[in-house]
């Protein structure tokens, strides 16, 4: 990463992965428009650096397929409901970004032509080349795969140089820092250690897919104002997951 100047970065194209919960602010459910706009401003500030950005947003603030399945709902149906929740979040983020003057496309893995483009890889790459933000919705379009796996898949397909995973903490810890004050943060950690130690970076299939394609994962705090831009410029606190 480039060091020093916050207006420069070595990255040309990245994918930002955030959870659906990141959009609900202090609410326990749904969307919090001021929070959505704050994240949109973070994305806008990075785009102004000349970085091409795509995004994947989870759906846990509206519906989580695994939780629905645990309550007796058939897993495939629950997962499809979760995918639809990600489309709602993607549309909310698109609205916030376009309100800031940022051209944005929502691209869905499940066809719903009235509200989003279907996923066509070459078309999505062209959008990025034209400096449009692409928000990939509906996961991979398949049940049993998380939005973490979808993010890693799309990042590879778009030839992104890294996945930036925005969380509530400033990196990867050996245990939950919210519950354990003595938790230790890693500056760097390997893919294999993430899998072996069950570190909660992404699910195992997403980590394995990133490892197989040598795609770095940068874990940082999305709650830090200006943090996304700062991390891209090599500043701030984060954990890099790589080989």
């Amino acid at each position: 990463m480039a060091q020093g100047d916050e207006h420069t970065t070595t990255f040309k194209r990245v994918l930002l992965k955030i959870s659906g919960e990141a959009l609900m602010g202090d609410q326990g459910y749904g969307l919090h428009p001021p929070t959505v706009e704050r994240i949109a401003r973070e994305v806008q500030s990075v785009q102004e650096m000349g970085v091409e950005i795509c995004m994947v947003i989870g759906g846990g603030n509206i519906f989580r397929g695994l939780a629905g399945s645990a309550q007796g709902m058939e897993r495939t149906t629950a997962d499809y409901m979760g995918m639809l929740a990600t489309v709602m979040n993607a549309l909310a983020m698109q609205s916030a970004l376009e309100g800031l003057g940022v051209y944005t496309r929502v691209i869905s893995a499940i066809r719903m032509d009235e509200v989003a483009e279907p996923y066509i890889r070459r078309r999505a790459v062209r959008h990025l080349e034209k400096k449009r933000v692409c928000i990939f919705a509906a996961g991979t379009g398949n049940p049993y795969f998380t939005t973490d796996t979808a993010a890693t898949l799309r990042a590879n397909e778009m030839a992104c140089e890294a996945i930036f995973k925005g969380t509530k903490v400033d990196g990867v810890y050996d245990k939950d820092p919210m519950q354990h004050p003595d938790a230790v943060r890693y500056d760097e950690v390997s893919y294999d250690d993430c899998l072996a130690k069950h570190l909660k970076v992404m699910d195992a299939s997403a980590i394995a897919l990133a490892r197989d394609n040598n795609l770095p994962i940068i874990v940082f705090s999305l709650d830090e104002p200006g943090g996304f831009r700062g991390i891209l410029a090599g500043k701030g606190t984060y954990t890099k997951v790589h080989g």
Side-chain angles (χ1 to χ4, degrees), residues 37-102:
E37 183 177 343
R38 179 181 65 78
I39 294 172
R41 289 190 184 280
E42 296 276 329
V43 173
Q44 178 192 36
S45 72
V46 168
Q47 193 199 40
E48 288 171 349
M49 299 171 80
V51 179
E52 296 170 4
I53 306 174
C54 43
M55 298 179 69
V56 170
I57 307 172
N61 57 319
I62 299 170
F63 189 86
R64 187 176 289 282
L66 207 54
S69 178
Q71 293 173 21
M73 187 176 290
E74 196 267 323
R75 173 68 190 269
T76 304
T77 299
D79 279 356
Y80 277 121
M81 290 173 69
M83 288 181 228
L84 295 177
T86 72
V87 177
M88 295 172 70
N89 285 339
L91 292 172
M93 183 58 64
Q94 178 185 44
S95 177
L97 284 165
E98 291 188 338
L100 298 172
V102 178

Side-chain angles (χ1 to χ4, degrees), residues 8-147:
T8 62
T9 179
T10 57
F11 288 102
K12 300 298 181 192
R13 181 181 295 169
V14 301
L15 185 141
L16 173 64
K17 166 65 171 72
I18 61 176
S19 68
E21 286 87 345
L23 303 184
M24 65 189 188
D26 294 330
Q27 301 173 164
Y29 179 83
L31 289 155
H32 183 237
T35 300
V36 177
E37 183 177 343
R38 179 181 65 78
I39 294 172
R41 289 190 184 280
E42 296 276 329
V43 173
Q44 178 192 36
S45 72
V46 168
Q47 193 199 40
E48 288 171 349
M49 299 171 80
V51 179
E52 296 170 4
I53 306 174
C54 43
M55 298 179 69
V56 170
I57 307 172
N61 57 319
I62 299 170
F63 189 86
R64 187 176 289 282
L66 207 54
S69 178
Q71 293 173 21
M73 187 176 290
E74 196 267 323
R75 173 68 190 269
T76 304
T77 299
D79 279 356
Y80 277 121
M81 290 173 69
M83 288 181 228
L84 295 177
T86 72
V87 177
M88 295 172 70
N89 285 339
L91 292 172
M93 183 58 64
Q94 178 185 44
S95 177
L97 284 165
E98 291 188 338
L100 298 172
V102 178
Y103 292 106
T104 310
R105 295 290 185 274
V106 173
I107 301 172
S108 173
I110 298 173
R111 288 196 74 113
M112 47 185 82
D113 295 350
E114 287 77 13
V115 296
E117 288 187 10
Y119 176 70
I120 299 170
R121 187 183 68 85
R122 287 178 179 272
R123 183 189 290 178
V125 169
R126 189 72 182 119
H127 286 320
L128 291 174
E129 290 170 350
K130 290 180 176 179
K131 307 302 180 186
R132 297 166 181 158
V133 173
C134 290
I135 307 175
F136 297 113
T140 65
N142 301 289
Y144 296 95
F145 290 91
T146 66
T147 50

